[in-house]
Amino acid sequence: MKSAKPALGFIFATLLIDVTGLGIIIPVFPKLIQELTGGSLSEASEYGGWLLFSFAFMQFLFSPVLGNLSDQYGRRPVLLISLFGFAVDYILLAFAPTIFWLFVGRLIAGMMGASFTTATAYIADISTPEKRAQNFGLIGAAFGLGFIIGPVVGGILGEYGSRVPFLAAAILTFINFLYGWLILPESLPPESRRKFELKRANPLGSLKMLSKYPLISGMVISLLLIYVASHAVQSTWSFFTMDQFQWSESQVGYSLGFVGILVALVQGLLIRVVNPKLGNRNSVVVGMILYIIGLGLFAAAPVLGSWMMYAALIPYCMGGISGPAIQGILSAQVPANEQGELQGALTSLISITSIVGPVMMTGIFAAFAKPEASIYFPGAAFFTAALLGIISMLSAVKALNKNGIRT
């Protein structure tokens, strides 16, 4: 590509619209599940966990396929397929007559859900090694801005009915599809492509690819644990805040909007100052420490009050400096024509944790948040996540030291 800056702008805009569509539906998902099942919030959280499981299982199976296809055919067509799949998913969710159709929609989204995988490979294609970590931060910045806009809009639209935000998300995602089709350029030149190989595109074959690189294979345990830990927040936030503090859909939306502001500031600004000074290795360690502190404060929020959910978001989101640093370290280990395969393998790894994490964390929340629970500890999922975060950090430090990563 003639210039990386316009391409980064294109991919940033694509991801921003994509995340905004995703953010729109989050505040109303608990109420929609309640409507279709007739259960309580704690019971709805368990359905929510299985819905995330369905999405993650299909993503685990299909992300390596899409990642490898992007290494042969380019990033642009795969990204467009992903966006179209999400639009179909939102339409199904908007008109779902039973809980069964929610599962159908999530299965389709999991099959097609490669937007972030492909975007990461896209950024790797157009970035120099020294700029990769900073440019990967744009993914987080798009995520942050999308979460400023999406959940707030979703919370407001949710006041008019639990289905309305899904229609808005479908329209927005289809606009994003058209934007990508008409404007988004290709990032992978023909000379850097390789042929699709089925043995490298299946989930197990894709994960096997990680073992070729000692540092990447050494980081697997750390990544597995921290991704599972993240589902204490991702999978239970709406259920936890509605159950413990009686927040409405709009209040949940505003809280996620605050998350978006923090993530955008951290990924778009802070990381560009901190990463060059600390280096990738220290950014990983400092970020994980902040992340663990945030999780511990979330666990204490039912005792301290709802204000703590906002206060704890500050160290938790600042912990996001670790993500792009990890991506920068890992992507530097593989050649250009394997970036799609690497990102597909990492997405499969994330998908494994998304198969386990949502069911595990919503199950812990449901078990300890019930009034009749023998040990009443609504923050148990966050506490468990903090412990997993500590083990993950120690494992990461060990892998980085073993492979000579000192900066």
Side-chain angles (χ1 to χ4, degrees), residues 123-250:
I123 289 173
D125 292 338
I126 62 174
S127 302
T128 58
E130 60 272 14
K131 286 285 185 182
R132 252 181 208 154
Q134 295 177 48
N135 288 343
F136 282 138
L138 285 175
I139 297 176
F143 189 91
L145 285 172
F147 261 71
I148 295 170
I149 303 164
V152 174
V153 172
I156 294 170
L157 291 177
E159 303 290 338
Y160 297 96
S162 60
R163 311 289 181 131
V164 176
F166 294 94
L167 290 172
I171 293 168
L172 195 60
T173 306
F174 188 70
I175 291 171
N176 197 12
F177 167 78
L178 292 176
Y179 169 82
W181 185 30
L182 296 172
I183 297 176
L184 190 69
E186 179 54 63
S187 66
L188 188 66
E191 64 271 16
S192 296
R193 301 181 188 183
R194 63 174 181 82
K195 290 226 175 256
F196 177 86
E197 296 177 53
L198 189 59
K199 66 180 181 181
R200 296 173 72 169
N202 71 77
L204 297 180
S206 175
L207 290 174
K208 202 172 177 182
M209 173 263 192
L210 299 178
S211 65
K212 288 166 42 180
Y213 303 96
L215 174 58
I216 297 176
S217 61
M219 288 290 289
V220 165
I221 297 297
S222 176
L223 291 170
L224 284 171
L225 292 173
I226 204 68
Y227 289 145
V228 169
S230 71
H231 281 283
V233 178
Q234 295 175 21
S235 303
T236 71
W237 183 271
S238 298
F239 300 102
F240 179 82
T241 53
M242 286 180 171
D243 183 69
Q244 290 299 301
F245 309 119
Q246 290 73 55
W247 284 5
S248 66
E249 292 95 331
S250 57

Side-chain angles (χ1 to χ4, degrees), residues 326-374:
I326 292 172
Q327 282 282 3
I329 291 170
L330 300 186
S331 66
Q333 308 298 307
V334 303
N337 65 359
E338 292 186 15
Q339 289 293 335
E341 185 178 13
L342 170 65
Q343 300 307 328
L346 291 175
T347 301
S348 287
L349 198 66
I350 295 171
S351 298
I352 291 173
T353 64
S354 296
I355 290 169
V356 176
V359 176
M360 174 182 171
M361 294 303 179
T362 55
I364 291 173
F365 167 68
F368 286 91
K370 292 176 181 176
E372 66 272 18
S374 55

